[in-house]
Amino acid sequence: MIETDVLVVGAGPAGLATAIALRRKAADGRKPRVVVLDKGRSPGSHVLSGAIIDPSGFKGLLTDEEVAKMPVEAHVVKESFRSIMLPKLSVKIPWVPPMMSSKTFPVASLTKVTQYLAQIAAREGAEVYTGYAVTDLVEKDGRIVGAKTGEKGLDKNGRRKSNYLPSEEIRAKATVLAEGGCGILTERLIAEKGLQGVRSQTYAVGIKELIEVPAGTQTAGEVMHTFGYPADFTTYGGGFTYHVSETQVMVGYAYALDYRRPEIDPFRLFRRFKATAAVQRHIKGGKTVAYGAKVIPEGGFYSAPKPYYPGCLIVGDGAGLLDSLRIKGVHIALQSGVCAAEAILADDLASYETRLHATSGWREMKRVRNVRAPFSIAMPFGVMAAGLAWATFGRIPWFRLPGLGESDAAELEELKPGRLEREAANDVPSGPAMPDRLTDVFMSGTIHEEDQPCHLKIKDPARCEECERRFGSPCTRFCPAEVYRRDEGRLQIDFSNCLHCKTCRIKCPCGNIDWTFPQGGDGPRYTRM
Amino acid sequence: MHVVVCMKQVPDTTNVRINPETNTLMREGVESIINPFDEYAPEEALRLKDSCGARVTVVTMGPPQAAVVIREALARGADDGALVSSRAFGGADTLATSYTLSMAIRKLCGGKTPDLVLFGKQAIDGDTAQVGPGVSEFLEVPLVTYVKSLEVAADGAYRVTTVMDDGEQVVEGRFPAVMTVLKEAAVPRFAPLAGWMAAAKAKIEVLDEKAVDADPIRIGLKGSPTKVVTIFPPPVKGGGEKIDARGDGEKGAKAIAAFLQKKGLVK
Ligand SMILES: Cc1cc2nc3c(=O)[nH]c(=O)nc-3n(C[C@H](O)[C@H](O)[C@H](O)COP(=O)(O)OP(=O)(O)OC[C@H]3O[C@@H](n4cnc5c(N)ncnc54)[C@H](O)[C@@H]3O)c2cc1C
């Protein structure tokens, strides 16, 4: 058994901030042993974001010099907000509340920033190990006392291969869950210990490409945020184009997973988004070179769970810490990591929550608590531009928030005849900056050992058949990686395509998909997301 | 028994592209990885450790960050390792590299040669497959290439099966030997977390040109007669014929059979 002072599960921004702060803020001679584990092959390989980073997260964590040396691509020099109504029709929003502005903020690949944070953590003496999925928490007498890593080297029938590696147990005085959105251990702990917030969490799936564009056509640091089309009026959909250099643009689209029509295919919506005139301007002559997807917890303040259980703290996206008005979570992830470290060093884990509530990130979450991201963006505009009022359909956003215990998935309608065909007919032609799904999956670099048990477990295959009849197997559409397909009258699961985005776990209308951990080190290999 | 395993860190060539205008490698965002063909030799060595108590030493030549290759091998169970690293080694071709590695191996073995030196079959960046054979020349030790399986008898004799273009060959001999090992030889084991923790703390010996007593004119660029004249991407292959047989396996099988017949590959 391995023993450490602190075990951090997940080497994303939140986990690494925890590790760095723990080592930095402890007095010399009393530095705790900190072990950080991540299931990705290397730090950052499972991290995907926009990302425009609110620099408030660096304060109290990094030195000015470290901030200056951070591998950011550009700083925001020009920012616009657009409402897209139709493929060729969009309007620029003439004014946005100052708190939404991100002028001068760094635009970065969060994968690269995470690699950088991992280097700093290592330099400070934290131990960061990648390629290890943490699959179980260990509880003793009402307290989390550590965790276990996943086994490796099982064949597809679950039998031990010649290279079988057993699970290892790590005992820690404090365990910090930094798993990101919809973390498996985190969700289990929240459910088992009743740590839910006022409302259950709601998610959007974010799909992103890095597109290379010809030199001389675009400006580094020019960013655009959009909302509206191709989402319908009842579901939030928002997109972005961030020019990270003169020749590279990050293009992303987030679509709320509380949508109701089973024919919806977020990946196709992403393609239609890219085909709009508003976006085409930014990707003209371009070619997609990288791809990825990940869920965003966007329930905000009321959906944030209690982030504390004896022996254990939850930081970052896993604790629902995301400013859902701006879809920014990196700065709060960093701040929460610092708070967790302070609570651990003070030997008072329970004080984490109060510390967290004093951060600027949490205060912003509170300020926008009644405007859920989807409509939050439309609302201030609705107020100032009557012409836009129709976009909100007269709805007051918080009326339609799911209540406690109600899941997003429960809301799917039954599939209506002809809808699938109509949706398919709306698809846009492929091209260099419009790859089909499998080409995109290839560019994510995702790879899983084929001879291992399928990590996406169907709890009851009979329900998949019922789902096929009622909803037309929406998993074959909502998965951004084409993991699920119907073949020869049954559901086939190509788990090797999986991007670990967790959309299936959230959106399966029957709650029939159990997302378990594949062999540590498997999964996407993001380098520039 | 003492086994030395030579491994190399390479750019992940699956992500390397060639700039069509300048014909130079575009390495932006390209990770360094252990040469995939070098994963099997250490496993073969560790099996000798398990079966006959061999001592396993890992050697890599490269920049300081290549030390991670050694740590990974230590994490999996190797006994010790050394990083052969110095600016003076920069720009080495396969000849200079073979010479340098052979000097390092001698140094690590107190001037003698070890029982067995293992290599992967080739590195994915240069694909030359010359360094293993080169080291065998410099060490004046017999060479066996493309080893698919290795058995060692109690008296120190070995029996290996090697793969050639037109068949397999069984070779018997006595150590010392230099061998290059194929993927088929062994499925590499995983490093346990506890192994990584110990390896992360291990101090890794760095050998420079002085430490290995290298002749300055035989190392680095100076010792490298090979000159790269130009780099170009291989011609783009025309897209193959795509048979979409989703939902109808029989149709797919027939289409494949018809295709092979047309090519005259089957009757
Ligand atoms: C499309 C998109 C755009 C976004 N844009 C922005 C933006 O512009 N600005 C902004 O501030 N934020 C943005 N966000 C949000 C931001 O990315 C997140 O808030 C941030 O990444 C959260 O950091 P984290 O450390 O909590 O989690 P993550 O970054 O998700 O990291 C979690 C890590 O934990 C690992 N892990 C999880 N479970 C385990 C386990 N059991 N064992 C081992 N390892 C595990 C994962 O592999 C991963 O490496 C965006 C998100 C998306 C999806």
Side-chain angles (χ1 to χ4, degrees):
Chain A
M1 190 154 52
I2 298 161
E3 281 181 39
T4 179
D5 294 312
V6 183
L7 170 66
V8 180
V9 181
L16 291 169
T18 310
I20 294 169
L22 275 166
R23 297 288 303 181
R24 285 209 164 148
K25 290 181 186 275
D28 280 336
R30 302 193 49 194
K31 305 251 183 227
R33 178 174 186 201
V34 183
V35 172
V36 187
L37 300 181
D38 199 284
K39 64 182 161 65
R41 184 172 70 151
S42 53
S45 60
H46 287 187
V47 169
L48 176 148
S49 191
I52 295 178
I53 303 176
D54 182 334
S56 65
F58 305 143
K59 241 178 275 157
L61 177 69
L62 303 179
T63 63
D64 290 346
E65 198 194 334
E66 282 163 347
V67 173
K69 285 204 183 132
M70 188 170 292
V72 303
E73 315 284 324
H75 288 82
V76 177
V77 292
K78 193 170 161 210
E79 184 173 43
S80 63
F81 294 79
R82 260 179 190 277
S83 167
I84 307 183
M85 288 105 172
L86 291 166
K88 293 216 153 34
L89 178 66
S90 67
V91 294
K92 189 174 163 200
I93 310 303
W95 181 87
V96 297
M99 67 197 228
M100 289 190 66
S101 160
S102 42
K103 266 273 183 64
T104 75
F105 286 5
V107 196
S109 146
L110 198 60
T111 304
K112 290 190 200 168
V113 170
T114 302
Q115 288 164 356
Y116 179 70
L117 292 174
Q119 283 163 14
I120 296 178
R123 213 184 307 135
E124 290 295 328
E127 301 167 43
V128 183
Y129 303 102
T130 52
Y132 296 94
V134 181
T135 54
D136 294 283
L137 290 174
V138 179
E139 186 173 357
K140 220 177 136 198
D141 307 325
R143 194 185 156 80
I144 302 299
V145 293
K148 286 184 184 160
T149 59
E151 306 169 280
K152 294 185 182 184
L154 292 174
D155 75 5
K156 58 178 179 294
N157 299 312
R159 280 189 301 252
R160 295 175 181 188
K161 294 191 281 190
S162 67
N163 60 352
Y164 174 72
L165 179 74
S167 159
E168 290 168 90
E169 185 169 329
I170 305 125
R171 284 291 168 101
K173 295 188 190 107
T175 302
V176 178
L177 293 175
E179 293 185 282
C182 200
I184 301 299
L185 303 187
T186 310
E187 291 296 302
R188 219 186 277 159
L189 187 77
I190 290 172
E192 281 173 13
K193 309 298 176 195
L195 305 178
Q196 292 91 347
V198 179
R199 280 193 288 260
S200 59
Q201 189 56 267
T202 60
Y203 296 94
V205 56
I207 300 177
K208 177 178 161 183
E209 283 177 357
L210 176 66
I211 299 180
E212 279 177 2
V213 290
T217 58
Q218 306 289 347
T219 320
E222 179 175 348
V223 302
M224 172 178 78
H225 315 270
T226 75
F227 64 94
Y229 182 90
D232 63 18
F233 301 139
T234 58
T235 311
Y236 164 68
F240 61 84
T241 58
Y242 298 162
H243 290 278
V244 289
S245 75
E246 210 192 304
T247 56
Q248 294 187 323
V249 53
M250 311 262 202
V251 179
Y253 189 71
Y255 191 70
L257 288 176
D258 60 356
Y259 67 81
R260 308 193 40 150
R261 292 188 290 122
E263 70 271 21
I264 291 280
D265 180 335
F267 180 78
R268 281 188 172 158
L269 295 184
F270 172 59
R271 285 164 59 95
R272 276 155 70 188
F273 163 72
K274 283 192 297 172
T276 59
V279 177
Q280 278 295 316
R281 236 163 36 87
H282 293 277
I283 62 174
K284 221 174 18 213
K287 182 174 184 296
T288 302
V289 294
Y291 174 75
K294 194 171 128 199
V295 294
I296 306 168
E298 38 108 34
F301 181 82
Y302 289 121
S303 296
K306 192 168 174 54
Y308 161 78
Y309 183 77
C312 184
L313 299 176
I314 312 172
V315 294
D317 271 14
L321 299 174
L322 189 118
D323 175 343
S324 45
L325 178 61
R326 303 185 293 165
I327 307 281
K328 284 191 176 51
V330 175
H331 61 298
I332 320 183
L334 299 174
Q335 289 174 343
S336 67
V338 173
C339 294
E342 285 169 353
I344 293 167
L345 294 175
D347 208 9
D348 182 9
L349 259 57
S351 71
Y352 167 56
E353 214 173 347
T354 9
R355 292 171 196 272
L356 181 65
H357 292 178
T359 60
S360 66
W362 179 263
R363 284 200 306 270
E364 284 154 29
M365 280 180 66
K366 191 165 180 192
R367 190 159 63 192
V368 300
R369 66 188 177 280
N370 280 327
V371 276
R372 184 181 165 223
F375 294 92
S376 60
I377 297 186
M379 198 192 64
F381 307 144
V383 174
M384 64 179 196
L388 280 176
W390 64 271
T392 65
F393 233 152
R395 276 171 193 273
I396 304 173
W398 48 90
F399 274 3
R400 52 180 294 286
L401 283 168
L404 184 63
E406 204 182 306
S407 87
D408 282 358
E411 298 184 11
L412 267 196
E413 295 164 358
E414 298 221 345
L415 183 64
K416 298 201 177 66
R419 282 280 181 83
L420 279 180
E421 293 72 16
R422 202 177 72 193
E423 208 49 32
N426 276 335
D427 201 15
V428 296
S430 294
M434 198 66 79
D436 60 34
R437 197 174 325 221
L438 284 180
T439 308
D440 255 337
V441 171
F442 174 74
M443 284 189 277
S444 73
T446 192
I447 187 161
H448 292 77
E449 161 68 54
E450 298 272 355
D451 190 16
Q452 68 173 307
C454 172
H455 71 278
L456 303 159
K457 302 211 177 345
I458 299 296
K459 295 178 196 162
D460 175 8
R463 291 175 81 178
C464 289
E465 296 317 307
E466 191 198 328
C467 171
E468 165 69 8
R469 282 191 299 277
R470 291 183 56 203
F471 306 111
S473 300
C475 52
T476 60
R477 293 177 293 278
F478 61 58
C479 173
E482 210 165 317
V483 166
Y484 303 93
R485 65 191 161 84
R486 297 284 305 185
D487 197 6
E488 300 185 341
R490 52 186 283 254
L491 190 67
Q492 304 284 340
I493 303 181
D494 298 328
F495 69 85
S496 190
N497 287 359
C498 180
L499 297 174
H500 296 203
C501 78
K502 318 275 170 64
T503 301
C504 56
R505 187 179 183 276
I506 295 161
K507 196 59 189 173
C508 170
C510 313
N512 205 19
I513 299 171
D514 188 11
W515 202 102
T516 67
F517 292 96
Q519 201 162 279
D522 286 357
R525 293 188 173 177
Y526 299 143
T527 53
R528 297 182 281 179
M529 284 282 112
Chain B
M1 186 178 185
H2 187 193
V3 185
V4 174
V5 187
C6 297
M7 297 172 73
K8 184 184 187 188
Q9 196 184 41
V10 294
D12 188 351
T13 50
T14 45
N15 288 319
V16 174
R17 287 179 303 153
I18 293 176
N19 180 330
E21 273 124 50
T22 59
N23 270 346
T24 50
L25 295 181
M26 294 163 66
R27 289 193 171 207
E28 198 238 5
V30 177
E31 263 183 288
S32 289
I33 56 169
I34 291 180
N35 174 39
F37 293 125
D38 291 354
E39 301 267 7
Y40 313 102
E43 178 60 28
E44 198 63 84
L46 290 170
R47 287 186 182 186
L48 292 174
K49 177 176 175 169
D50 294 342
S51 61
C52 40
R55 173 179 152 212
V56 177
T57 301
V58 181
V59 179
T60 190
M61 181 168 148
Q65 62 267 28
V68 68
V69 172
I70 294 169
R71 288 197 200 280
E72 178 143 4
L74 294 178
R76 288 181 187 184
D79 296 284
D80 45 40
L83 170 68
V84 183
S85 185
S86 160
R87 280 190 185 280
F89 298 141
D93 68 0
T94 54
L95 182 70
T97 303
S98 305
Y99 168 74
T100 311
L101 275 175
S102 68
M103 294 303 280
I105 293 167
R106 275 189 212 279
K107 179 78 190 178
L108 288 166
C109 301
K112 296 205 276 286
T113 48
D115 301 295
L116 179 59
V117 183
L118 294 177
F119 286 85
K121 86 166 171 163
Q122 66 200 52
I124 57 165
D125 53 352
D127 280 320
T128 65
Q130 288 169 355
V131 174
V135 168
S136 110
E137 281 299 312
F138 284 116
L139 291 179
E140 295 176 36
V141 164
L143 169 74
V144 190
T145 52
Y146 305 116
V147 170
K148 179 181 133 179
S149 74
L150 164 65
E151 289 158 48
V152 178
D155 63 351
Y158 61 78
R159 184 189 162 93
V160 299
T161 307
T162 73
V163 177
M164 304 184 304
D165 280 345
D166 50 0
E168 293 186 352
Q169 177 176 253
V170 177
V171 181
E172 289 179 348
R174 289 191 158 274
F175 294 123
V178 171
M179 296 183 189
T180 72
V181 175
L182 296 177
K183 180 176 177 182
E184 289 76 6
V187 181
R189 66 192 63 190
F190 298 103
L193 180 58
W196 256 120
M197 288 178 165
K201 284 197 210 94
K203 194 159 165 12
I204 289 173
E205 193 181 354
V206 180
L207 300 175
D208 62 8
E209 65 277 20
K210 289 202 191 69
V212 304
D213 299 324
D215 181 348
I217 59 159
R218 298 178 73 180
I219 58 169
L221 210 52
K222 253 189 254 159
S224 300
T226 317
K227 298 283 172 273
V228 177
V229 181
T230 167
I231 296 177
F232 56 90
V236 186
K237 285 193 198 133
E241 202 172 301
K242 209 168 170 180
I243 299 168
D244 189 348
R246 274 179 289 191
D248 189 351
E250 196 183 324
K251 195 182 104 199
K254 281 188 179 144
I256 292 170
F259 176 82
L260 293 175
Q261 264 162 1
K262 204 171 71 194
K263 296 261 166 195
L265 294 169
V266 294
K267 285 207 196 108

